Amino acid sequence: CETFGEKEDPALLLVMGAFSQGILWPTEFCEQLAAVGFYVVRYDHRDAGLSTCFDYKKEPYDLRNMAQDAVGLLDALGIDKVHVCGLSMGGPIAELMAVHFPDRVQSLTLMATSCDFRPSFLAYDQQSPADMALPKPTEQYLQLMQRFLHNAPKSPSEQLAQRLEAWSILNGAMIPFEEERYRELHTEFLQRLKHPESLTNHMGAIRSSLQLILEVPFQVNVPTVVIHGTEDPIFPLPHGPALAKCIRDSKLVLVEGFGHVPNRHFYPLFIEEIKAIAKVSS
């Protein structure tokens, strides 16, 4: 893990999504959060980056285990209470932390996530989610996922090209995609990827947690803000309001042009919302 800022300041844990490393919370975003008074922690999930990798068939796990990982990290860092910001898969992990470790979590910021991951997983399995209340991912993203899951690139240059294509789609079309900046970031990502075969273990963790993801928002009892973009290709717009409706007294912030990944265009908005919900909880 990496930390930014002063340990005496309120702690903020950044929880990334599936297939992702902590560095995908960009350094400048972490530094800006530290500059406004947070002690910021970013980390690699199990089966990502420099963290421990698992044989999922022998040692299956779910998002509760990943929430326990995050709390174990707080223990190791000597952090008693924390504000948590979770993106995508990091959203339900953050919620599970708040529900199962209520004395540790002070507030939640939930970005680009949902109360129902089933439409995505049915679509990944090429099944029709006809009876789902919430929409499936966009066709462009689903085509990308099929290539990722069934035809993984072999060479480093192909891997980098695929990651840049994915990030461009996740960025959304309204806000310019900074290709050279993300080329550098994803080059570092691939250099830190110890066991590429373990990356898709997160799919198993989510798949075994689909019911948990449906249920846990109703149990959240800390101040919460839900931030959702109009350009999200994985969880189209209705997912954000649906999640906010499940969490008692939560605040919903819909962001024009925001996709599924942090873009520096939106850092000021994100930081203000994280500060505001942290203040509510103090």
Side-chain angles (χ1 to χ4, degrees):
C1 75
E2 293 175 273
T3 62
F4 302 81
E6 303 298 326
K7 194 166 184 180
E8 298 74 27
D9 287 336
L12 173 66
L13 181 71
L14 301 178
V15 187
M16 241 304 148
F19 324 129
S20 296
Q21 302 173 15
I23 62 167
L24 296 181
W25 294 108
T27 296
E28 64 267 31
F29 181 56
C30 299
E31 290 174 341
Q32 289 176 32
L33 284 162
V36 300
F38 288 105
Y39 180 58
V40 181
V41 181
R42 70 179 183 186
Y43 72 103
D44 292 339
H45 293 295
R46 60 170 73 191
D47 281 322
L50 305 182
S51 285
T52 303
C53 291
F54 288 73
D55 182 331
Y56 191 83
K57 289 183 179 178
K58 293 181 180 178
E59 298 181 84
Y61 58 86
D62 63 16
L63 297 191
R64 282 173 297 198
N65 300 120
M66 298 183 79
Q68 290 166 349
D69 291 345
V71 174
L73 174 62
L74 299 179
D75 292 341
L77 293 173
I79 295 172
D80 183 34
K81 293 182 180 296
V82 68
H83 303 282
V84 186
C85 176
L87 184 145
S88 195
M89 179 186 76
I93 291 174
E95 294 163 40
L96 287 161
M97 290 177 67
V99 169
H100 293 286
F101 303 92
D103 56 329
R104 306 298 293 274
V105 177
Q106 293 177 285
S107 75
L108 295 179
T109 301
L110 306 175
M111 299 171 61
T113 190
S114 179
C115 56
D116 193 353
F117 282 44
R118 293 175 302 168
S120 299
F121 274 72
L122 285 169
Y124 300 156
D125 294 340
Q126 297 182 307
Q127 298 178 29
S128 174
D131 61 339
M132 295 289 104
L134 293 171
K136 68 179 182 178
T138 65
E139 286 303 321
Q140 185 185 33
Y141 178 74
L142 289 174
Q143 290 172 15
L144 175 79
M145 276 297 289
Q146 290 304 321
R147 296 199 302 275
F148 171 70
L149 294 172
H150 303 296
N151 190 24
K154 300 297 188 291
S155 72
S157 61
E158 289 173 343
Q159 291 173 334
L160 180 59
Q162 186 189 63
R163 292 208 62 82
L164 286 173
E165 179 191 6
W167 222 246
S168 175
I169 292 169
L170 295 174
N171 182 77
M174 284 185 63
I175 304 301
F177 177 66
E178 299 174 277
E179 182 171 337
E180 288 309 310
R181 179 167 172 271
Y182 286 113
R183 182 180 301 277
E184 181 179 332
L185 180 61
H186 286 283
T187 297
E188 182 183 359
F189 179 101
L190 291 169
Q191 290 169 347
R192 297 174 84 252
L193 184 60
K194 292 194 302 182
H195 297 282
E197 71 280 2
S198 295
L199 205 58
T200 53
N201 286 353
H202 292 168
M203 291 283 284
I206 297 171
R207 195 180 294 275
S208 64
S209 305
L210 291 174
Q211 190 63 32
L212 270 178
I213 294 169
L214 283 169
E215 294 170 355
V216 72
F218 295 98
Q219 303 167 43
V220 170
N221 196 30
V222 297
T224 300
V225 58
V226 174
I227 301 175
H228 208 87
T230 62
E231 290 278 297
D232 195 319
I234 301 180
F235 300 120
L237 185 58
H239 284 262
L243 175 60
K245 190 175 180 180
C246 295
I247 299 175
R248 184 172 55 189
D249 298 329
S250 64
K251 177 183 178 182
L252 174 64
V253 179
L254 297 178
V255 184
E256 186 73 22
F258 173 39
H260 193 76
V261 294
N263 179 304
R264 73 168 117 194
H265 180 84
F266 300 111
Y267 290 174
L269 183 152
F270 296 160
I271 291 168
E272 282 306 309
E273 293 299 338
I274 292 169
K275 280 172 54 182
I277 203 67
K279 187 174 182 181
V280 168
S281 70
S282 62

